[in-house]
Amino acid sequence: DQQVKQNSPSLSVQEGRISILNCDYTNSMFDYFLWYKKYPAEGPTFLISISSIKDKNEDGRFTVFLNKSAKHLSLHIVPSQPGDSAVYFCAASGRRGDMRFGAGTRLTVKP
Amino acid sequence: DGGITQSPKYLFRKEGQNVTLSCEQNLNHDAMYWYRQDPGQGLRLIYYSQIVNDFQKGDIAEGYSVSREKKESFPLTVTSAQKNPTAFYLCASSTTLTGPAKNIQYFGAGTRLSVL
């Protein structure tokens, strides 16, 4: 049973525009949510996170929004740059520390 | 500098053979994790350990075994019982101290396992 879902396997945007990546979760016990960025043949690297007590967290060009009632979070990248092209994983963490990942969304930013 | 080291980068397994993937960290993290990634899929949790000499099964532990004898090391053995071992294996670690940082996992570069 997939507890974290990313329904869009790929997304393509023009450089300078906004990229919006979406994620849904089913387990209401998750209390921390993260986004990771991954390049081929490498491990994921942490990008940005949000606690369940907040609804928005911003870090430079990256903003994560959390809608707890809808069990939905999104990552906004503004403006998008070609170097942002990668696979983005949404992850959710419970109090035991174990984390569940979505299937990932491949973002392509075109120059 | 601190980080997580996985070795080898590539590994081949013969039928009926057990193989062990190495994961070492010098971040002084208490918690360590093993994930498996298949093409087009997300990371699935195999095993995790919050403290030395203790570990828990994740979602897909069957056919795998781990040990945690030292804080720095969390080796994963892929046993012959794992019938479909071909995948990309990722090790991660995190602190267990209270605060937001305990939720952030840091990953190694991965080991790609293939069956001969």
Side-chain angles (χ1 to χ4, degrees):
Chain A
D1 179 30
Q2 213 173 351
Q3 299 183 54
V4 179
K5 297 180 182 179
Q6 293 176 257
N7 293 318
S8 297
S10 64
L11 174 68
S12 181
V13 300
Q14 207 66 36
E15 181 180 5
R17 299 291 190 108
I18 184 171
S19 295
I20 300 177
L21 294 87
N22 294 302
C23 177
D24 297 294
Y25 62 95
T26 58
N27 190 340
S28 57
M29 298 302 291
F30 289 140
D31 61 359
Y32 209 79
F33 303 90
L34 307 92
W35 285 94
Y36 282 83
K37 180 178 180 180
K38 185 181 183 298
Y39 294 111
E42 294 183 9
T45 55
F46 169 71
L47 188 59
I48 191 170
S49 63
I50 187 167
S51 165
S52 59
I53 63 173
K54 296 186 175 181
D55 56 17
K56 177 183 175 181
N57 187 27
E58 191 172 351
D59 183 2
R61 297 186 297 112
F62 303 91
T63 303
V64 55
F65 295 92
L66 175 62
N67 183 334
K68 282 180 60 180
S69 61
K71 293 190 177 68
H72 176 84
L73 66 155
S74 61
L75 173 67
H76 292 210
I77 306 174
V78 182
S80 301
Q81 299 173 354
D84 296 329
S85 297
V87 177
Y88 289 79
F89 288 100
C90 169
S93 176
R95 291 182 181 171
R96 291 182 305 166
D98 54 319
M99 194 173 293
R100 299 296 185 274
F101 286 80
T105 296
R106 182 179 301 279
L107 173 66
T108 302
V109 180
K110 297 180 178 178
Chain B
D1 50 331
I4 300 177
T5 302
Q6 288 187 243
S7 61
K9 194 173 178 70
Y10 300 97
L11 186 60
F12 297 91
R13 193 190 90 165
K14 295 180 181 178
E15 290 288 338
Q17 185 182 42
N18 292 354
V19 292
T20 297
L21 285 62
S22 170
C23 178
E24 303 277 333
Q25 55 98 0
N26 61 3
L27 299 168
N28 199 33
H29 285 166
D30 286 306
M32 296 187 74
Y33 312 81
W34 273 105
Y35 295 90
R36 166 180 174 143
Q37 186 187 17
D38 292 282
Q41 296 190 33
L43 283 64
R44 291 185 289 167
L45 183 63
I46 304 173
Y47 268 99
Y48 65 105
S49 167
Q50 301 277 23
I51 196 168
V52 174
N53 291 322
D54 189 37
F55 47 83
Q56 286 76 42
K57 293 181 179 180
D59 297 327
I60 55 166
E62 187 174 347
Y64 300 96
S65 66
V66 293
S67 62
R68 188 82 187 280
E69 297 177 3
K70 298 188 300 180
K71 185 177 184 178
E72 302 78 18
S73 178
F74 191 39
L76 173 74
T77 297
V78 184
T79 74
S80 57
Q82 173 49 247
K83 298 306 178 188
N84 185 24
T86 298
F88 189 54
Y89 290 86
L90 287 159
C91 178
S93 71
S94 68
T95 182
T96 54
L97 298 175
T98 303
K102 78 175 177 67
N103 294 288
I104 299 172
Q105 294 184 12
Y106 297 87
F107 285 82
T111 293
R112 185 163 299 280
L113 175 62
S114 302
V115 176
L116 290 176

